[in-house]
Amino acid sequence: MCLAIPGRLVRIEGDVGFAEFGGAERRVGLMLVPGARAGDWVLVHAGYAIQTLDEAEALESLRLFEELLADEPGATGAP
Amino acid sequence: MTGAGPARARVDSAVARIREAVARPLRIMEVCGTHTMAIGRHGLRSLFPSDLRLLSGPGCPVCVTPGSDIDQAIDLARRPATVLATFGDMLRVPGARRETLDAARATGARVRVVYSALDAVELACAEPGSEIVFAGVGFETTSPTIAAAMKSARDRGAANFSVLPSFKLVPPAMTALCAAPDVRIEGFLCPGHVSAIIGTRAYAPVAAAAKVPCVVAGFDPLDILEGVAGIVEQVRDGRHEVVNGYARAVREDGNPAALALLDEIFEVDDAAWRGIGVIPRTGLRVRDAWAALDARRRFGLPPPAPDDLPEGCSCGLVMRGVLVPPECPLFGRACTPAAPVGPCMVSSEGACAAYHKYG
Ligand code: SF4
């Protein structure tokens, strides 16, 4: 239930943003990462960014998560 | 497990470190259900020496939610003009009355699955004539997202939004487990995303009180193997330190904004853990200033009760790390994912489901 997935913030509107996950864009709450800016990588859990990541960290996490999520549909961690 | 190249070499090296460091029977707990799943999926147990035993622990928030909370959620969903919004994981877990949200929905209860607590706030704004109650289940990873949604609801004047709180705190539960006379845990693999919020420093009291190493790990097989290697080496050397093996996402002080928001809306309270009982100071209570958003006070519901598990189910012992799932007499016989008896077999991240799926 505690899965979280890295995505890149493409734009911000107030305390929500839109993050890209492998080509798909989803709305994410930004209230927990007040310093986040468009272009930043964030770790997203249950519809909210819970931490900011640097790009190298994000790409590394992404590679690992793709492997982990390969056969885990519908978990709560879905962005 | 698969993988080639440099990652393969790091896997081999971590496995060699583990084999070298384990010189006697050792019991370490992985705490987090996502770790349990990853360990099973990648067949990591087969790489460990037979003296190393990995225990699953209470790390599936759905499994430790008291049946009385699920019953209350069902009752709320049956109230007129009330919608119970929930993460999908909760649907199939039977409450104390052995009824599920899924079955209640099939007979007309208003249950809505959402991906995010924010979606439930949107629902409240879109349906001002309905009461929207969100089933607030989760550890420190999830509770800040629900706190954020509560704040949004207040800011947006969504007076018809509330949360049925059933939140749990991980580090104090780890300390409490270690103190039980029938539990022997010699190291903790700490949950990666809980730690992204609370930071590594939250484990210092656990390591100090229980005198066990605490290593935070990510969810990649390599993260897990290197985390386990670090734990068994600490045990060999008689150390009990907190180590951050997931620096990609975890800082020493966690996420201060999330922690401040949690503290604004909640205060620490005792919590009922299904199959384990009440553990002092391992839960969150909605502060009085936010009482209007607490469904339990709003609808006059009693506090959660630690209820008994179904007859013969050993989930409590599994979640406390006393047994591993195959040691339950019902495992794989009377209890399977198709016909689950206890919450650890129902939930996809329950220890019994993970063992059944991956062996
Ligand atoms: S195998 Fe089934 S009955 Fe046994 S502990 Fe697990 S969930 Fe409970």
Side-chain angles (χ1 to χ4, degrees), chain B residues 312-315 318 328 330-331 335 341-342 344-345 352:
Chain B
C313 171
S314 311
C315 278
V318 169
C328 170
L330 304 188
F331 179 84
C335 181
V341 173
C344 293
M345 190 65 91
C352 297

Side-chain angles (χ1 to χ4, degrees), chain A residues 1-2 45 50 52 71 76, chain B residues 41 89 142 193 251 255 349:
Chain A
M1 179 163 174
C2 293
H45 166 73
I50 61 165
T52 49
D71 63 344
T76 310
Chain B
R41 178 179 304 115
D89 322 43
T142 313
H193 293 145
R251 330 251 189 272
N255 178 335
E349 286 195 350

Side-chain angles (χ1 to χ4, degrees), chain A residues 1, chain B residues 61 64-66 69 87 117 134-150 161-170 262 265-273 279 281-286 293-294 296 304:
Chain A
M1 179 163 174
Chain B
V64 297
T65 297
D69 285 11
F87 294 133
F134 185 76
V137 168
F139 294 145
E140 294 94 328
T141 326
T142 313
S143 47
T145 73
I146 299 170
M150 291 166 80
F161 176 83
S162 61
V163 169
L164 182 64
S166 196
F167 303 111
K168 305 282 191 287
L169 303 176
V170 171
L262 277 180
I265 300 186
F266 300 110
E267 56 196 334
V268 175
D269 195 9
D270 300 348
W273 295 64
I279 313 180
R281 305 192 60 75
T282 57
L284 293 174
R285 175 182 189 279
V286 178
L293 280 86
D294 176 354
R296 220 168 254 122

Side-chain angles (χ1 to χ4, degrees), chain B residues 143-215:
Chain B
S143 47
T145 73
I146 299 170
M150 291 166 80
K151 189 150 190 158
S152 294
R154 178 169 276 190
D155 290 348
R156 293 163 67 171
N160 56 333
F161 176 83
S162 61
V163 169
L164 182 64
S166 196
F167 303 111
K168 305 282 191 287
L169 303 176
V170 171
M174 292 163 65
T175 304
L177 280 186
C178 288
D182 58 339
V183 175
R184 189 166 70 88
I185 297 166
E186 290 157 286
F188 282 113
L189 192 71
C190 302
H193 293 145
V194 164
S195 306
I197 300 292
I198 65 177
T200 48
R201 68 170 175 208
Y203 300 101
V206 183
K211 297 203 172 6
V212 294
C214 293
V215 177

Side-chain angles (χ1 to χ4, degrees), chain A residues 2-79:
Chain A
C2 293
L3 272 180
I5 297 166
R8 184 173 215 147
L9 277 178
V10 290
R11 61 179 195 282
I12 295 179
E13 291 171 12
D15 60 10
V16 297
F18 292 82
E20 199 181 78
F21 301 89
E25 224 178 75
R26 292 190 82 140
R27 214 170 58 116
V28 299
L30 297 178
M31 210 180 266
L32 306 175
V33 288
R37 304 223 181 334
D40 284 353
W41 284 85
V42 288
L43 189 59
V44 176
H45 166 73
Y48 282 87
I50 61 165
Q51 191 54 280
T52 49
L53 305 171
D54 76 34
E55 179 155 23
E57 288 168 341
L59 292 175
E60 169 73 354
S61 291
L62 209 53
R63 188 184 65 69
L64 303 174
F65 278 110
E66 268 160 17
E67 189 184 323
L68 181 66
L69 285 171
D71 63 344
E72 182 75 311
T76 310

Side-chain angles (χ1 to χ4, degrees), chain B:
Chain B
M1 63 171 285
T2 54
R8 180 78 239 177
R10 280 176 66 190
V11 165
D12 291 345
S13 144
V15 171
R17 284 169 58 200
I18 294 168
R19 290 184 179 272
E20 201 181 301
V22 177
R24 62 174 174 85
L26 276 188
R27 297 162 64 89
I28 69 176
M29 180 177 272
E30 76 253 16
V31 186
C32 170
T34 310
H35 274 148
T36 304
M37 292 300 288
I39 289 163
R41 178 179 304 115
H42 299 290
L44 301 188
R45 241 176 256 106
S46 68
L47 302 176
F48 297 146
S50 57
D51 268 349
L52 175 60
R53 190 162 221 220
L54 249 66
L55 309 164
S56 288
C60 157
V62 172
C63 302
V64 297
T65 297
S68 61
D69 285 11
I70 294 168
D71 292 352
Q72 286 181 351
I74 292 170
D75 292 344
L76 287 168
R78 288 216 173 94
R79 286 173 62 101
T82 304
V83 177
L84 190 282
T86 178
F87 294 133
D89 322 43
M90 292 298 293
L91 288 184
R92 292 179 56 233
V93 187
R97 300 185 305 237
R98 308 288 162 243
E99 189 182 12
T100 64
L101 279 164
D102 208 19
R105 180 168 63 170
T107 58
R110 300 219 292 164
V111 177
R112 194 82 60 89
V113 173
V114 291
Y115 273 125
S116 162
L118 190 56
D119 294 345
V121 176
E122 303 289 337
L123 193 60
C125 293
E127 292 188 28
S130 297
E131 283 284 336
I132 310 298
V133 184
F134 185 76
V137 168
F139 294 145
E140 294 94 328
T141 326
T142 313
S143 47
T145 73
I146 299 170
M150 291 166 80
K151 189 150 190 158
S152 294
R154 178 169 276 190
D155 290 348
R156 293 163 67 171
N160 56 333
F161 176 83
S162 61
V163 169
L164 182 64
S166 196
F167 303 111
K168 305 282 191 287
L169 303 176
V170 171
M174 292 163 65
T175 304
L177 280 186
C178 288
D182 58 339
V183 175
R184 189 166 70 88
I185 297 166
E186 290 157 286
F188 282 113
L189 192 71
C190 302
H193 293 145
V194 164
S195 306
I197 300 292
I198 65 177
T200 48
R201 68 170 175 208
Y203 300 101
V206 183
K211 297 203 172 6
V212 294
C214 293
V215 177
V216 176
F219 300 97
D220 168 60
L222 198 50
D223 290 334
I224 295 171
L225 288 172
E226 289 179 345
V228 170
I231 294 169
V232 295
E233 286 173 349
Q234 283 203 47
V235 175
R236 177 197 60 198
D237 301 342
R239 289 180 291 134
H240 45 85
E241 294 157 13
V242 179
V243 172
N244 186 1
Y246 191 30
R248 297 196 299 281
V250 176
R251 330 251 189 272
E252 192 195 352
D253 60 349
N255 178 335
L259 291 172
L261 187 59
L262 277 180
D263 187 53
E264 181 184 343
I265 300 186
F266 300 110
E267 56 196 334
V268 175
D269 195 9
D270 300 348
W273 295 64
R274 190 171 209 176
I276 297 178
V278 173
I279 313 180
R281 305 192 60 75
T282 57
L284 293 174
R285 175 182 189 279
V286 178
R287 288 189 186 274
D288 290 344
W290 291 82
L293 280 86
D294 176 354
R296 220 168 254 122
R297 277 180 271 180
R298 191 177 181 108
F299 299 102
L301 307 175
D307 56 291
D308 289 326
L309 289 164
E311 181 93 10
C313 171
S314 311
C315 278
L317 295 171
V318 169
M319 293 187 293
R320 293 169 61 242
V322 177
L323 297 184
V324 291
E327 293 170 337
C328 170
L330 304 188
F331 179 84
R333 299 185 187 90
C335 181
T336 63
V341 173
C344 293
M345 190 65 91
V346 179
S347 166
S348 67
E349 286 195 350
C352 297
Y355 269 77
H356 197 272
K357 185 162 180 192
Y358 300 112

